[in-house]
Amino acid sequence: QVQLVESGGGSVQAGGSLRLSCAASGSTYSSYCMGWFRQTPEKAREGVAAIDSDGSTSYVDSVKGRFTISKDNANNTLYLQMFSLKPEDTAMYFCAAEPGGSWCRPAVSDYNYWGQGTQVTVSS
């Protein structure tokens, strides 16, 4: 079983940047699918990006070219670098993990291990 703790959220103006981190512990982190997700009070949780054990990545269309998912296996840490932030990016951001490590996609139903979330607020 893996435990996940997010950090790095905050408040920024539109056009700004933030980097989220997700510290993982408790299992063989490198063989998991890892993903970032977000949720607002008005919308269901949605996928943002995912990364395979070999480093292959996938993104939803709304963040392509602006967000980058990466991981540091040595430090068991997942990252989400966010550039050109927009007010519509405002949400609680969650990291998630699932054993497997291949053909990973940012689909909520694919993941069973979740962090508690970190809030990102983008003002116009």
Side-chain angles (χ1 to χ4, degrees), residues 16-18 21 26-27 36 40 43 53 55 68-69 73-74 76 86 89 91-92 95 99 102-103 111 121 123:
S17 302
L18 279 175
S21 299
S27 189
W36 285 100
T40 69
K43 292 175 63 177
S53 58
T68 301
I69 187 172
N73 287 336
N76 286 354
K86 304 175 182 180
D89 295 318
M92 183 74 77
C95 68
S102 299
W103 303 103
Y111 296 81
T121 303
S123 58

Side-chain angles (χ1 to χ4, degrees), residues 33-38 44-52 57-61 69 94-99 102-114:
C33 283
M34 302 293 296
W36 285 100
F37 300 80
R38 62 188 181 187
R45 192 169 298 188
E46 64 177 10
V48 175
I51 187 165
D52 289 11
T57 58
S58 61
Y59 299 90
V60 297
D61 287 345
I69 187 172
F94 299 86
C95 68
E98 182 65 22
S102 299
W103 303 103
C104 306
R105 57 178 188 161
V108 173
S109 60
D110 287 0
Y111 296 81
N112 286 296
Y113 299 101
W114 295 86

Side-chain angles (χ1 to χ4, degrees), residues 3-54:
Q3 292 80 44
L4 304 169
V5 179
E6 303 94 336
S7 62
S11 297
V12 296
Q13 291 191 326
S17 302
L18 279 175
R19 189 176 79 159
L20 307 182
S21 299
C22 174
S25 62
S27 189
T28 308
Y29 165 79
S30 61
S31 63
Y32 278 61
C33 283
M34 302 293 296
W36 285 100
F37 300 80
R38 62 188 181 187
Q39 186 173 12
T40 69
E42 298 79 24
K43 292 175 63 177
R45 192 169 298 188
E46 64 177 10
V48 175
I51 187 165
D52 289 11
S53 58
D54 67 357

